[in-house]
């Protein structure tokens, strides 16, 4: 019984057991395949070991042909440990990213404005929950659809499309429009399109901010009227 062959078998058994534990914790089938591979290789070497006379020797002479198998066993164990760390770090990063996205979603959903992101094809890629509150449109029915599909071929789209094209050309576009709400009240909205530029300067989309300025304009008109009355009086 060669100490080289025995060491190789033990290392492969350890690699297989570690792979099974890693698969259980990470729930990744790829590590399960590695566990199967390590187990089959260990079984093969065990059968090779059993086919020889049972005698243990620390003498390496005559067993140098088994060194490549030992090297493969060590590399397998190192590779499995590295893959485990890689997948574990990836999962940790994904969890951290999901937590940050949830925090950002919470912040944007509490803003008193409509917030959305539109790409170059005028497809909605993001929208906050304020859309549901204002217009009764679920966000899930907006994301992935074009603006035309979301708001329809009505005068509102015909009015906003030129401003969107300006934003895609790299300009900050702003305008005001009166929009009827589901409650029957027509409100004055201030709409702003902010271009999203890549590092190379190319515009890949724009951020949309829609603010209800009905009360603001009403207050401004009231103050203006009061000032004129005071000037006359």
């Amino acid at each position: 019984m060669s100490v080289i062959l025995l060491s190789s078998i033990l290392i492969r058994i350890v690699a297989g057991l570690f792979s099974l534990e890693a698969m259980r914790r990470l729930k990744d089938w790829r590590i399960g395949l590695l566990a199967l591979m390590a187990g089959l290789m260990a079984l093969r070497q065990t059968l090779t070991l059993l086919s020889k006379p049972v005698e243990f020797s620390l003498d390496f002479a005559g067993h140098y042909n088994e060194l490549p198998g030992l090297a493969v066993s060590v590399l397998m164990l190192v590779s499995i440990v590295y893959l485990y760390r890689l997948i574990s770090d990836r999962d940790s990063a994904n969890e951290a990213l999901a937590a940050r996205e949830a925090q950002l979603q919470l912040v944007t959903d509490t803003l008193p404005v409509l917030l959305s992101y539109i790409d170059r094809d005028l497809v909605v890629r993001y929208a906050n929950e304020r859309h549901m509150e204002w217009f009764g449109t679920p966000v899930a029915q907006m994301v992935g659809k074009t603006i035309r599909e979301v708001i329809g071929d009505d005068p509102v789209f015909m009015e906003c499309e030129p401003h969107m094209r300006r934003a895609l050309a790299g300009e900050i576009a702003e305008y005001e429009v009166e929009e009827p709400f589901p409650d029957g009240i027509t409100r004055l909205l201030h709409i702003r399109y902010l271009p999203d530029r890549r590092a190379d300067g190319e515009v890949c989309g724009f951020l949309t901010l829609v603010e209800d300025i009905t009360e603001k304009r009403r207050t401004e008109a009231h103050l203006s009227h009061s000032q004129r009355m005071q000037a006359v009086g």
Side-chain angles (χ1 to χ4, degrees):
M1 180 184 298
S2 167
V3 65
I4 297 177
L5 185 58
L6 183 60
S7 299
S8 180
I9 292 173
L10 291 176
I11 290 174
R12 293 184 182 187
I13 291 175
V14 170
L17 294 175
F18 184 84
S19 297
L20 290 174
E21 175 62 16
M23 182 181 67
R24 184 189 67 83
R25 295 180 59 184
L26 299 179
K27 297 179 177 59
D28 194 302
W29 62 270
R30 292 172 295 181
I31 297 184
L33 290 179
L34 289 177
L36 178 61
M37 183 185 302
L40 291 175
M41 294 176 72
L43 177 61
R44 176 179 176 276
Q45 284 195 322
T46 301
L47 294 176
T48 301
L49 181 65
L50 293 177
S51 66
K52 298 179 179 181
V54 180
E55 54 180 23
F56 185 77
S57 174
L58 296 177
D59 186 10
F60 286 86
H63 298 286
Y64 293 114
N65 62 321
E66 298 172 357
L67 287 176
L70 177 61
V72 170
S73 300
V74 173
L75 287 175
M76 173 181 288
L77 179 59
V78 172
S79 299
I80 291 174
V81 172
Y82 175 75
L83 181 60
Y84 171 78
R85 290 291 304 272
L86 191 66
I87 296 177
S88 181
D89 291 344
R90 181 207 62 186
D91 290 346
S92 298
N94 288 340
E95 290 175 1
L97 178 61
R100 288 195 296 269
E101 289 178 346
Q103 293 174 348
L104 179 61
Q105 185 72 50
L106 178 63
V107 171
T108 57
D109 286 344
T110 56
L111 292 175
V113 297
L114 295 185
L115 182 65
S116 60
Y117 183 86
I118 317 297
D119 67 12
R120 286 202 61 85
D121 298 321
L122 297 182
V123 175
V124 180
R125 295 303 178 188
Y126 171 82
N128 65 351
E129 289 294 335
R130 192 68 65 175
H131 288 81
M132 179 66 181
E133 180 181 329
W134 282 22
F135 299 112
T137 304
V139 172
Q141 295 182 13
M142 297 178 56
V143 176
K145 295 183 178 181
T146 65
I147 289 294
R148 186 184 294 272
E149 291 174 321
V150 172
I151 65 179
D153 295 321
D154 57 16
V156 175
F157 177 77
M158 300 299 293
E159 182 173 0
C160 68
E161 185 180 23
H163 301 286
M164 292 180 178
R165 297 300 177 187
R166 286 176 53 201
L168 291 175
E171 301 179 39
I172 296 178
E174 295 184 70
Y175 66 101
E176 295 178 2
V177 62
E178 290 186 340
E179 177 70 14
F181 275 49
D183 58 8
I185 300 176
T186 298
R187 302 180 185 276
L188 182 62
L189 304 179
H190 179 263
I191 302 176
R192 181 181 303 172
Y193 300 138
L194 305 175
D196 176 24
R197 295 181 181 275
R198 295 175 179 171
D200 59 3
E202 181 183 358
V203 177
C204 53
F206 58 90
L207 186 68
T208 301
L209 294 172
V210 181
E211 180 184 4
D212 181 0
I213 60 172
T214 306
E215 292 300 324
K216 178 182 178 181
R217 286 289 186 267
R218 186 176 295 140
T219 301
E220 290 175 351
H222 178 72
L223 289 175
S224 177
H225 177 73
S226 298
Q227 290 172 354
R228 287 197 303 269
M229 292 299 293
Q230 290 177 359
V232 173

